[in-house]
């Protein structure tokens, strides 16, 4: 079964109609999130009502494969003849023009600092469909055909959250699950509910010789999934005071990694 078909079936199973997006009231004015807010908590809250099967908080469970290490690099987007990596996209008609501006502004950082180009889809086979679903989540890497990036109007339309989800679509896992994370953070399993433990599983990631990045837009905050108020689930080591979980903008290392992975010069 191709991916579009399986996704359609998945959505149909949950009674979600793709064909008839509903016009919704205008959202509240865009409010930038202060730097010290644990925005991870915000989007995990937003995802609580999601009917999608999510792993790691906001990654739609892949059908067949991991990103970053994949056969023949098939999970990555392809370069065009100008050495640019085009990621075609469509956006749901339920977004306002202001919403679309926020989305496009988040994309512009990729355009300015990497060889990734999110381009309006013409007739390309593989593309992302940005939709106002029930949370902030994405597939990992290019899965083929149409693939959903869910950005709920209330809760996900923030510069950093959009970049975070787009990074998943490019093939990046969460920083705190990378293969060498135990040298840089301590996971406090005692505060993690059993059914959330999978969010903290180490992945077989290709770290591309980049340093562990506490400031990555892909890093979760200290209290992500904590079952106890005031207790952290992730503690940076050796310095527990190091900030993690920012969703302001991609870090320099986030950008470096995209450039390395996609061979941008
Ligand atoms: Zn994520």
């Amino acid at each position: 079964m191709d991916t579009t078909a399986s996704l359609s079936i998945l959505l149909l199973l949950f009674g979600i109609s793709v064909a008839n997006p509903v016009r919704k009231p205008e959202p509240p004015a865009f409010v930038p999130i202060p730097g010290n807010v644990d925005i991870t908590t915000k989007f995990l809250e937003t995802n609580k009502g999601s009917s999608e099967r999510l792993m790691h908080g906001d990654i739609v469970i892949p059908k067949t494969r991991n990103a970053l290490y994949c056969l023949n690099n098939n999970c990555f987007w392809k370069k065009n003849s100008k050495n640019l990596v085009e990621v075609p996209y469509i956006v749901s008609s339920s977004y306002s023009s202001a919403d679309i501006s926020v989305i496009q502004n988040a994309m512009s950082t990729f355009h300015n600092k990497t060889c990734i180009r999110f381009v309006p889809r013409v007739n390309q086979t593989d593309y992302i469909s940005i939709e106002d679903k029930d949370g902030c989540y994405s597939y990992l890497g290019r899965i083929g055909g149409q693939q959903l990036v869910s950005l709920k109007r209330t809760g996900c339309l923030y510069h950093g959250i959009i970049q975070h989800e787009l990074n998943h679509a490019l093939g990046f896992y969460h920083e705190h699950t990378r293969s060498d994370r135990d040298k840089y953070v301590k996971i406090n399993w005692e505060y993690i509910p059993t059914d959330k433990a999978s969010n903290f599983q180490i992945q077989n990631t290709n770290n591309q010789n980049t340093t562990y990045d506490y400031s990555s837009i892909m890093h979760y905050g200290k209290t992500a999934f904590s079952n106890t108020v005031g207790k952290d689930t992730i503690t940076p080591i050796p310095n527990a005071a190091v900030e993690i979980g920012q969703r302001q903008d991609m870090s320099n290392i986030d950008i470096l990694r995209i450039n390395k992975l996609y061979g941008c010069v």
Side-chain angles (χ1 to χ4, degrees):
M1 186 186 307
D2 71 25
T3 309
T4 307
S6 55
L7 178 60
S8 302
I9 286 171
L10 184 65
L11 294 173
L12 286 171
L13 279 175
F14 291 111
I16 299 168
S17 166
V18 186
N20 299 305
V22 179
R23 187 85 193 167
K24 294 186 177 172
E26 289 297 308
F30 175 70
V31 181
I33 300 167
N36 60 354
V37 168
D38 179 2
I39 190 62
T40 307
T41 304
K42 179 170 176 57
F43 83 64
L44 293 177
E45 281 293 324
T46 306
N47 283 358
K48 269 186 180 165
S50 174
S51 55
E52 279 284 359
R53 296 170 63 229
L54 303 177
M55 73 169 193
H56 299 182
D58 68 328
I59 302 174
V60 184
I61 293 175
K63 301 296 183 291
T64 53
R65 58 181 174 236
N66 282 343
L68 282 183
Y69 284 123
C70 55
L71 194 61
N72 300 325
N73 285 338
N74 263 343
C75 58
F76 301 126
W77 300 85
K78 304 299 179 192
K79 269 188 177 170
N80 67 14
S81 57
K82 296 176 184 165
N83 245 10
L84 297 172
V85 178
E86 290 194 355
V87 182
Y89 72 92
I90 59 173
V91 292
S92 164
S93 60
S94 62
Y95 292 117
S96 69
S97 56
D99 295 337
I100 293 172
S101 291
V102 176
I103 293 168
Q104 290 177 333
N105 193 38
M107 291 174 169
S108 69
T109 308
F110 293 84
H111 300 173
N112 292 336
K113 299 190 173 175
T114 78
C115 60
I116 304 293
R117 296 291 182 272
F118 294 96
V119 295
R121 177 185 182 239
V122 181
N123 59 2
Q124 295 93 329
T125 305
D126 301 333
Y127 60 100
I128 60 175
S129 177
I130 301 174
E131 300 177 30
D132 173 28
K133 296 290 188 189
D134 50 359
C136 330
Y137 51 86
S138 171
Y139 286 91
L140 207 50
R142 182 180 65 90
I143 62 169
Q146 175 180 305
Q147 69 183 78
L148 175 65
V149 173
S150 174
L151 294 174
K152 188 179 182 181
R153 292 186 80 194
T154 50
C156 307
L157 288 186
Y158 296 95
H159 191 73
I161 291 179
I162 297 165
Q163 291 182 340
H164 178 105
E165 300 306 334
L166 292 176
N167 258 321
H168 281 319
L170 292 179
F172 291 96
Y173 278 104
H174 292 133
E175 186 73 353
H176 72 277
T177 65
R178 68 182 249 174
S179 54
D180 58 352
R181 69 102 189 276
D182 284 341
K183 289 192 279 185
Y184 304 96
V185 292
K186 178 175 175 289
I187 304 300
N188 304 312
W189 296 103
E190 63 270 37
Y191 302 123
I192 299 171
T194 308
D195 65 340
K196 303 297 185 208
S198 62
N199 294 290
F200 299 87
Q201 272 173 4
I202 288 180
Q203 303 296 319
N204 178 28
T205 52
N206 174 4
N207 302 323
Q208 305 185 100
N209 292 318
T210 59
T211 56
Y212 190 89
D213 184 12
Y214 295 106
S215 67
S216 172
I217 203 141
M218 305 310 285
H219 206 302
Y220 268 10
K222 291 179 182 177
T223 61
F225 293 108
S226 179
N227 60 12
T228 308
V229 174
K231 296 296 184 185
D232 294 345
T233 51
I234 306 177
T235 304
I237 50 177
N239 181 2
V242 169
E243 286 201 25
I244 53 176
Q246 69 89 9
R247 290 292 181 276
Q248 295 297 297
D249 213 338
M250 289 193 289
S251 71
N252 289 337
I253 297 177
D254 286 327
I255 291 163
L256 174 67
R257 276 181 197 142
I258 296 169
N259 285 323
K260 281 192 164 209
L261 184 65
Y262 279 96
C264 308
V265 180

